[in-house]
Amino acid sequence: MQQHRLIFLFLLLVSILAGCSPEDQTGYYPGFDVPQGFPQPVYNPLNSGMTEKGYALGKKLFYDPILSQGNVVSCEDCHKQWSAFADGTHPLSHGVDNQFGARNAPPVFNLAWSPYFMWDGGINHIEVMPVAPITNEVEMGETIAGVVQKLNADDEYPALFAEVFGTTEITSQQMLKSLAWFLTSIVSADAKYDRYMAGQESFNAEELAGLELFGQLCADCHTPPLFTNYSFRNNGLDAVYDSDSGRAHVTGMHSDVGKFKVPTLRNAEYSGYYMHDGRFNTLEEVMNHYQGGIVSSATLDTALIPSTGFALSETDKQNLIAFIKTLSDINFIQNEAYHKEN
Amino acid sequence: MKKQSYLFIMLLLSASVYFTSCSNDPENADVTIELEHMFGSSGFNLNNETYTNASGDSLEFTTLKYYISNIRLLKTGGEGWSETESYHLVDLSSAATTTITLSDVEAAEYTGIQFLIGVDSARNVSGAQTGALDPANNMFWSWNTGYIFLKAEGNSPQSSSGSFAYHIGGFQGANAGLRWITLDFGANTLIVQEGNENMSHLSVDVKKLFDGSTYTLSTSLVNNQMMVSTTSSSIADNYAEMFAFDHNHN
């Protein structure tokens, strides 16, 4: 009798757990929350209709080469989670037919707070951002009409889109919204720095010294908590910018030549290569640039004049790097919510 | 008692019929706008037809597409009638797109028509759109967000490349390509009501794209224009002159 009761309880427990298991899937759905200390986002995916299934659909698209010509290149090929969704393996990424782009693939996180996208800020909305890499000849080389046609002809996608949008025909708008939901749900705000700011962890002497120097020299542009102020600056990489005029490419203004968007420094330890063309391999090289490598030109940022650079000792540079590494968010890098699902 | 309730029900029924028929607006009607494309005095067609502008450039068009948006029928004393979700892509490779149907137009006498060439700034900054504004229509700049308002491409031996490509847009700033068009129907007003033809004919003279009153576009000088600039703004001034009222059918 006692045994029967135990068996019954065991069976009950099994059935409860089995009943729960679909709920466990929500562990892979991050939803969207504004982290402590962050401003309100520019784009809140929940306000544009994101659901768990919509998020999963966007994630599937992100990892699927169906978005490219010949189904060979996915978003992930140039935006890898272990590299904070930057490239990590190439200064310049290669797309269809092994062609190389002109710019370094930027990391993908905290995009919900970004007022514009790309190194030149030419794209004004996260929902239309993917149109650029999908249609760029050297990136994914597809047409929007081509992608939509392939999605509609696919075995799986029509049912998945129908579940999310309630329609039978997949449109580019639905594809782009799904991608935007996934992309803006990628959030990194759990670095040692964040725990330090919350009083949960302490900095060592190097990190503290780096924090102080950072506040004096870097924070005007790399402004906490996002570690960018989204401005466009010429940080003295070159004397001329003939091959890539940066911001001027979209504004047509001479005063914008050589200016590029200030990148976030969160996860910089993981997201190298550095600069718009990926010219630096290491944070040490970046420090050396700001110390003694700045090149003068008409649009050089006033904070970097005189162009001799910052008077940084070797210790200063090591302290700054120690601080920058406190912005590394290993929980974000390993977050299963962003992993590819089969 | 029985008779009273019967009368009451009849009263209620007739009242409901009366109110239902009122809310139907039986007078409202669909209006058809026909866009008749010309090159000067010749009919305009894509491909295998050659036209000559005032500069003497020989022109064969392979593409002509443009946006008409925010259509409003004007009337004396009042706001007029505005189409909701008013975005139309006219594509000369698809004859059906040269006819625009306005649905359920308020019955009234209209004195003119107003519309925008291009896509208003709001839709240029609001993310992914659909329908006429679907980026799949290839009227969208991916690298510098914004719609191409007018795209004209073709061949011209006077061009150094042998061809021309004008992609005109820009929704903000001094060189924006947005142009409001207002056309007066004069004495030939459009009287919209059920049973009428409710048809308005506008002519579109593509020659004006090259030969405007303040700017002359020649393929020998400018054969490729894809950035927003003073030149693209001058070309927009020209396309604003392409549109004219022809006649209405009532």
Side-chain angles (χ1 to χ4, degrees), chain A residues 120 122-125 127-128 131-132 135 144-145 171-173 176-177 249-250 252, chain B residues 124-130 134-136 138 140 142-146 171 227-228:
Chain A
D120 57 22
I123 296 174
N124 69 15
H125 199 289
E127 288 176 6
V128 295
V131 178
T135 60
I144 295 300
T171 66
S172 73
Q173 187 182 43
L176 293 168
K177 271 191 184 292
H249 181 60
V250 297
Chain B
N124 281 275
V125 299
S126 304
Q129 305 292 315
T130 194
D134 192 322
N138 289 324
F140 186 76
S142 63
W143 48 271
N144 193 359
T145 308
F171 60 89
M227 294 276 288
V228 178

Side-chain angles (χ1 to χ4, degrees), chain B residues 191-204:
Chain B
I191 300 161
V192 174
Q193 61 181 47
E194 193 142 301
N196 277 10
E197 287 197 49
N198 302 316
M199 187 178 283
S200 187
H201 284 250
L202 310 182
S203 66
V204 186

Side-chain angles (χ1 to χ4, degrees), chain A residues 127-174:
Chain A
E127 288 176 6
V128 295
M129 188 278 288
V131 178
I134 290 171
T135 60
N136 188 307
E137 286 174 8
V138 301
E139 294 181 42
M140 299 170 94
E142 249 297 355
T143 63
I144 295 300
V147 173
V148 170
Q149 192 177 27
K150 284 192 286 184
L151 291 174
N152 275 305
D154 189 76
D155 288 342
E156 295 176 57
Y157 280 111
L160 296 173
F161 274 87
E163 273 192 289
V164 175
F165 295 100
T167 53
T168 51
E169 181 89 10
I170 300 169
T171 66
S172 73
Q173 187 182 43
Q174 295 168 351

Side-chain angles (χ1 to χ4, degrees), chain B residues 54-242:
Chain B
S55 306
D57 303 329
S58 181
L59 307 162
E60 184 206 9
F61 289 79
T62 53
T63 300
L64 182 64
K65 295 162 85 171
Y66 59 89
Y67 278 110
I68 286 183
S69 69
N70 295 274
I71 298 176
R72 173 178 293 212
L73 293 171
L74 308 171
K75 65 181 177 188
T76 315
E79 289 263 300
W81 179 89
S82 299
E83 187 187 32
T84 52
E85 202 54 34
S86 185
Y87 299 94
H88 304 272
L89 177 57
V90 180
D91 179 351
L92 275 284
S93 70
S94 166
T97 66
T98 62
T99 301
I100 293 171
T101 303
L102 308 175
S103 298
D104 200 28
V105 176
E106 181 197 354
E109 179 178 7
Y110 294 101
T111 59
I113 186 170
Q114 191 178 61
F115 52 87
L116 192 60
I117 301 300
V119 176
D120 51 84
S121 60
R123 291 300 174 102
N124 281 275
V125 299
S126 304
Q129 305 292 315
T130 194
L133 301 179
D134 192 322
N137 294 323
N138 289 324
M139 291 290 277
F140 186 76
W141 277 315
S142 63
W143 48 271
N144 193 359
T145 308
Y147 285 92
I148 297 169
F149 301 157
L150 178 138
K151 187 186 263 194
E153 295 174 351
N155 301 310
S156 172
Q158 286 75 23
S159 155
S160 59
S161 64
S163 61
F164 62 90
Y166 307 121
H167 297 183
I168 310 302
F171 60 89
Q172 59 190 352
N175 296 320
L178 289 168
R179 293 294 181 273
W180 279 105
I181 310 294
T182 305
L183 304 174
D184 192 342
F185 295 151
N188 188 190
T189 56
L190 182 68
I191 300 161
V192 174
Q193 61 181 47
E194 193 142 301
N196 277 10
E197 287 197 49
N198 302 316
M199 187 178 283
S200 187
H201 284 250
L202 310 182
S203 66
V204 186
D205 183 0
V206 181
K207 188 167 186 286
K208 294 278 176 60
L209 180 64
F210 292 85
D211 304 326
S213 58
T214 57
Y215 178 74
T216 301
L217 175 64
S218 168
T219 59
S220 65
L221 300 172
V222 177
N223 60 15
N224 185 300
Q225 181 62 45
M226 297 191 179
M227 294 276 288
V228 178
S229 67
T230 54
T231 304
S232 73
S233 180
S234 295
I235 296 173
D237 289 342
N238 281 5
Y239 62 60
E241 293 182 26
M242 297 197 304

